Amino acid sequence: MSTTSQAVSGRVFAPYSVYKGKAAFSVDPVLPTFTKMDSGFLRVKRKGVILLTFWPAIGERKYNWEKRQKFALSPTEVGSLITMGPNDSSEFYHDPGMLSSNAGQVRKSLSIKALADGNGYFISLNVSNNILKTSERLVVPVTAAEFAVMKTACSFALPHLMGWDRLTNQLPQSGPERSSKVDPRYLDVEWDK
Amino acid sequence: MSTTSQAVSGRVFAPYSVYKGKAAFSVDPVLPTFTKMDSGFLRVKRKGVILLTFWPAIGERKYNWEKRQKFALSPTEVGSLITMGPNDSSEFYHDPGMLSSNAGQVRKSLSIKALADGNGYFISLNVSNNILKTSERLVVPVTAAEFAVMKTACSFALPHLMGWDRLTNQLPQSGPERSSKVDPRYLDVEWDK
Amino acid sequence: MSTTSQAVSGRVFAPYSVYKGKAAFSVDPVLPTFTKMDSGFLRVKRKGVILLTFWPAIGERKYNWEKRQKFALSPTEVGSLITMGPNDSSEFYHDPGMLSSNAGQVRKSLSIKALADGNGYFISLNVSNNILKTSERLVVPVTAAEFAVMKTACSFALPHLMGWDRLTNQLPQSGPERSSKVDPRYLDVEWDK
Amino acid sequence: MSTTSQAVSGRVFAPYSVYKGKAAFSVDPVLPTFTKMDSGFLRVKRKGVILLTFWPAIGERKYNWEKRQKFALSPTEVGSLITMGPNDSSEFYHDPGMLSSNAGQVRKSLSIKALADGNGYFISLNVSNNILKTSERLVVPVTAAEFAVMKTACSFALPHLMGWDRLTNQLPQSGPERSSKVDPRYLDVEWDK
C-alpha cells in the first residue's frame, strides 16, 4: 500500500540513453506543472518538455557526466522531430537566458541531420558560452532503430507534455437524457461564447 | 490526498495555443458526457469535441479575447484532420443554430489549406452572423511542426472524445476456465442477437 | 464516490455509429475476459473483439434495430483493417456455429471495398442463414474521414482487446540495485526456459 | 475490492500467439523493474522487453511447449521491428551468456524476412547451443495482418518497456502563478546543470 502511493507520487527516472564513441545522450520527459485557479480548476503553468542531455566520452566506455549539456524540446519542437522522414534534417536554436539580463550570453543549437543513406541521423548539440568563453560540440550518431524509439516515445509523451492526458481522469458527468435522434452537432458548445 | 481527488474531479485547462501576427487560436479537447441508464450502465450522451477558439490580434503581441470565435470539431471531422497529408486541404461548415429557430442565422466555416510548398497550412475561420449583421474572418498560418502537434494530440484525444478510453477501467470478469485449444472465433458474441 | 466506483465497474456504451441511406452500422469494442489461475495470476480467457452491428433503414432517417446483424472482428482481423490503404479491399468470412452442431448453417461475410476514387469504402455484411432460409445484405458507404475514425479508434482499442493494457497497472518491483555499466541485454529472461 | 487489488498487483498473461504448420510463436511484453533510490524516487533497473517464444509442431495442431526457445527484443530492437515496411528484412543476434563464463556457448539469431509479394514475413529463430551440441531452427510465416497486430501492440508497449508510462501517474505540482505572456521557452530547465 505504501509502495503504491510512493510509486504514484514519486518522480520516476526512466531516460532513454544512447552511448556512442565520442559522446552519449539521453532522452527524458519532463511533465508540465499546474496551477490551481480560484475556481478550483487546474491550469497548465509550464508545459512539459523532452529534455535531451549530452555528455562527452573520455575513454573507451567512459563518459564524463560533469560536462553534460542540456537542451529542452518544446511540444512544437517535438512535433518537428516526430514528423521527420528518413532524409529530413532539423535545427533548433535556444537562448536559455532569453528575456533576462543573461540574454545572448549562452547560445545553444541542436542539429538532427539525416545520414546520406537514410539509415540514421547525426544529432549534435552546440553550446557557446560568452561568459565562460567556451564553445562545445557533442555529436552522437543514431541508428534508424534508435531514432524510431525516440519518435515513438516522444509521440507517446507529447499529449502528456501538453497536459492532455489529464483527460483520462475525468469522472462522467451525468445529467438528464436528451433523446434527439438527429446528430445535434454539438450546438451548445459553439453557440456560447 | 485532497489534492489528488481535486486533480481527478476538477476540470483541467490545457489548450494548445498558436499566436501569429493577425490572430491566435487554441485547440482544446472537450470530453463527452454520460447518462446513467436504468441498468446502472453508462451511455455516452454527447460525444466530445475538439474545440478550436480563434481571437484577433489588436497590436504587436496583443490579442482581444473578447472577440473570440469558436468551432467545435466532431469526432468524424477530427478523423478528417488527422488524415490530412502535407498537400491536402479541408473545409467544414457548421450552423450552430441548426434545428432551432435560429437556424441559418449564424454560419461558420473552417478552412484548412495547405501552403504551396507543403510546409504548413493556413487555418481560417469565417463567421457570418445575420442577426448582428457581422462577418468575420480570422486567419492563422501554422507550420508543419505546429500541425504535427495538432494531429498527434487530436489522434490521442479521439478515443477519449468517443468515450472509448473507458475501456481501460474495466475490472476483469472471472469465470470458469474453458480449455479449448482451437480458436473459438468469438462464437458467442456473434451468435446472440 | 459511489459514482466513481459505478463508473469504473459498470459497462460503458460508447459505439461509433454511421447512419446512411440504406443502413446504419456501429463499431463497439468488447473487452477480453480473464480467468484467475491457481497462482493467483490472471490469464486472458477470451480475447476482446471489435463488434460491428448493421441494421437496415426502413424510411427516411428511420432504422429497424430488430433486424440487426453482428460481425465480431478478432484482433488479427482488426490488424487487417487498420493497415488498409485508400485503395485496398478486404473480405472476412465467419461461421458463428463453427465447431458446433450448427456448423455451416449460418455464413457471414464482411467486405470492405475501396471506392474507385480512393475517398472512402463500401462496407457490406452478408448473412445467409440455412435454418431460416434467409439471405441478407446490408451496405453502408463510409467516407475517408469516417474510416479514419474507425482506424484510429480500433488501433487504440487493439492492445485492450489483447489484454495488453493491463501492463499499465503493475506495481514497480523493487530489488537490490545492480550497477553494471554495460547493457546486460536482458540476459536472464532469455537464459531461463 | 479484493478482486481489484489482485487484478492490479498480479501478473497478467496475455500473449499474442500465432499457430502455423511447423511451429507457433507468442509475443508477450515483460515490464521493466524499478529500484528505489535513497531519495525515495524510483529508477528503472532493468528495461522491459518484448519476449518472443517459439515452439515446434509435432503433428496436426499439436505443439511441444517443452521445446520452446525464447528471444527477448530490447526497446531498440522493438524500434527496428515497428519501422519495418512491407519489403524490409531485419536480423538480430543475441548471446544470452554474454559477459559471463557462458559467453559464446549459446548463440541465437532472429530473422524477419519479407515475403516476395510484400504480404507477410517469415520469422525464424535459430539457436545453436555448444554445450548441448544442438542447433534448432523454428520458422513461422506471418500474414501482413498478424504482423500489423505485432507492430501496433509493440508500439503501444514500447513506452511501457521504457518506464515512460509512469508519466501518467504524477500528481500535479502546484505553485505560484507566473503570468508571463511571452513563451518563456522553458528557460529554467536548460539553464540549470
Side-chain angles (χ1 to χ4, degrees), chain B residues 34 36-37 41-44 47 75-76 79-80 82-83 155 158-159 162-178 182-193, chain C residues 6-8 10-16 27 29 31 34-35 42 45-47 49 51 66 68 70-72 74-75 77 94 96-98 102 106 108 145-146 148-149 152-153 156-157 160 166:
Chain B
F34 294 87
K36 191 178 293 177
M37 295 186 290
F41 294 170
L42 292 171
R43 190 180 191 90
V44 170
K47 280 186 187 169
T76 301
S80 257
I82 63 180
T83 50
S155 297
L158 183 53
M162 300 163 68
W164 282 32
D165 62 310
R166 293 286 159 180
L167 286 172
T168 61
N169 294 323
Q170 305 285 329
L171 294 179
Q173 300 163 261
S174 290
E177 176 84 77
R178 182 170 59 185
V182 190
D183 177 356
R185 271 188 178 265
Y186 323 103
L187 309 175
D188 307 347
V189 176
E190 279 183 19
W191 191 257
D192 302 338
K193 258 220 178 167
Chain C
Q6 284 167 333
V8 168
R11 175 95 166 79
V12 177
F13 293 105
Y16 176 65
V27 185
L31 287 173
F34 294 88
T35 307
L42 292 171
K45 195 175 77 173
R46 192 173 69 178
K47 281 186 186 169
V49 295
L51 186 60
E66 294 305 312
R68 66 187 176 282
K70 294 177 181 175
F71 198 89
S74 72
E77 289 165 339
H94 286 188
M98 193 179 75
N102 291 316
V106 176
K108 300 185 176 188
E146 288 159 347
V149 173
T152 300
F156 170 83
H160 301 271
R166 293 284 159 178

Side-chain angles (χ1 to χ4, degrees), chain A residues 61, chain C residues 180-187, chain D residues 95-104:
Chain A
R61 289 188 181 175
Chain C
S180 163
K181 274 198 186 113
V182 189
D183 177 356
R185 270 187 179 264
Y186 322 105
L187 310 176
Chain D
D95 173 354
M98 192 179 77
L99 306 180
S100 78
S101 58
N102 291 316

Side-chain angles (χ1 to χ4, degrees), chain B residues 10-43:
Chain B
R11 175 95 166 79
V12 177
F13 293 106
Y16 176 66
S17 302
V18 175
Y19 294 86
K20 294 291 164 74
K22 300 270 176 71
F25 80 100
S26 67
V27 185
D28 207 12
V30 178
L31 287 174
T33 57
F34 294 87
T35 308
K36 191 178 293 177
M37 295 186 290
D38 293 340
S39 59
F41 294 170
L42 292 171
R43 190 180 191 90

Side-chain angles (χ1 to χ4, degrees), chain C residues 117-136:
Chain C
D117 62 4
N119 281 324
Y121 300 83
F122 275 115
I123 303 187
S124 55
L125 176 62
N126 289 274
V127 180
S128 66
N129 188 321
N130 281 342
I131 308 169
L132 306 176
K133 307 290 178 202
T134 57
S135 177
E136 289 176 85

